[in-house]
Amino acid sequence: MSSKIFLIIGATGATGIEVTERALHNKQKVVLYVRNPAKLPAHLAADPNVTVHTGTLDDAPSFQKAFNNVATVISLLGPSATSPGPTSQYYPVILRMMRTSGVKRIVSLSTFAVSQSEDRFALSAALTHAIGKVLFPKGMKNFIDTHQILVEDGTDIDWTEVRVGMLKNNAQPGESLSVGYIGAPKFALNIRRKHIAEFMVAEAEKGVADSQWIKKSPAIWTSS
């Protein structure tokens, strides 16, 4: 497998750390664009295959530099308690900077808030969606808006939007990654962060011709 350079946005969160570690395990090089590098684990900050760029998503000159020589963008952006506003507002910026730097591929994390025509009814997903609309309407809208931006503004971009449900840590023996659509046989709501990293990095490594998920939004979950 030839080494590639991945730009990881959102690398200081728990899932971002898992994704970064998986990419390094697979002998890839990573560029991390972070607001606070002190949040990075010491072993990642010191890794020779890690380049850290510090800045905010509003700092256009610094952000643009992070795209130099990158093969694929892996975005873990999503709403959080510290987000100044919806993270969907940064996706047009990311797509514009990808074009400026000649980057064609992005693998972006999303949630089951986004629905697809291939989805089928699953009680667990339906209940979670209904609860989310009541308790987290802005967060759900953020992911739905991001999806629309990818679809409408990313026609020239090879994007894959990875939809997940309930995030869990520490994979257990006998568990494995499953990929498909909501309501598929043996569909489950839970997903281990380790399996998110496994799928997102594998997609980032593939050429466009080798991926079945270009301009698609697969659901992933952990099967036991």
Side-chain angles (χ1 to χ4, degrees), residues 3 5 24 28-31 42-52:
S3 179
I5 301 177
L24 293 172
Q28 308 297 352
K29 297 179 180 180
V30 298
V31 174
H43 71 283
L44 293 183
D47 193 295
N49 289 316
V50 173
T51 300
V52 179

Side-chain angles (χ1 to χ4, degrees), residues 110-186:
S110 185
T111 72
F112 293 160
V114 175
S115 61
Q116 294 291 279
S117 61
E118 296 90 345
D119 292 339
R120 297 293 178 262
F121 178 78
L123 181 60
S124 59
L127 289 174
T128 302
H129 195 276
I131 293 170
K133 286 178 69 175
V134 174
L135 299 180
F136 311 107
K138 291 182 179 179
M140 292 185 68
K141 184 178 185 301
N142 182 84
F143 286 112
I144 293 169
D145 289 348
T146 298
H147 172 75
Q148 288 302 117
I149 291 166
L150 289 173
V151 170
E152 295 172 5
D153 190 30
T155 55
D156 60 331
I157 299 294
D158 298 318
W159 56 265
T160 299
E161 183 182 44
V162 184
R163 296 181 296 151
V164 301
M166 302 292 290
L167 304 184
K168 301 291 183 179
N169 297 317
N170 305 323
Q172 302 300 310
E175 292 181 334
S176 61
L177 168 68
S178 290
V179 185
Y181 289 98
I182 294 172
K186 299 185 178 180

Side-chain angles (χ1 to χ4, degrees), residues 85-97:
T87 54
S88 58
Q89 67 182 311
Y90 296 110
Y91 272 81
V93 177
I94 291 171
L95 297 182
R96 184 174 68 249
M97 292 186 174

Side-chain angles (χ1 to χ4, degrees), residues 9 33 56-57 59-67 93-94 97:
I9 305 169
Y33 189 75
T56 67
L57 298 176
D59 181 358
S62 296
F63 198 17
Q64 183 69 73
K65 288 178 183 178
F67 288 79
V93 177
I94 291 171
M97 292 186 174

Side-chain angles (χ1 to χ4, degrees), residues 4-80:
K4 297 181 178 180
I5 301 177
F6 300 151
L7 168 58
I8 302 178
I9 305 169
T12 56
T15 305
I17 290 170
E18 287 272 8
V19 170
T20 302
E21 290 178 337
R22 179 74 181 199
L24 293 172
H25 177 268
N26 288 10
K27 310 300 182 184
Q28 308 297 352
K29 297 179 180 180
V30 298
V31 174
L32 309 181
Y33 189 75
V34 300
R35 182 174 53 188
N36 183 1
K39 290 185 177 181
L40 284 173
H43 71 283
L44 293 183
D47 193 295
N49 289 316
V50 173
T51 300
V52 179
H53 287 258
T54 303
T56 67
L57 298 176
D58 295 308
D59 181 358
S62 296
F63 198 17
Q64 183 69 73
K65 288 178 183 178
F67 288 79
N68 291 344
N69 302 313
V70 165
T72 300
V73 175
I74 300 178
S75 174
L76 303 156
L77 285 182
S80 70

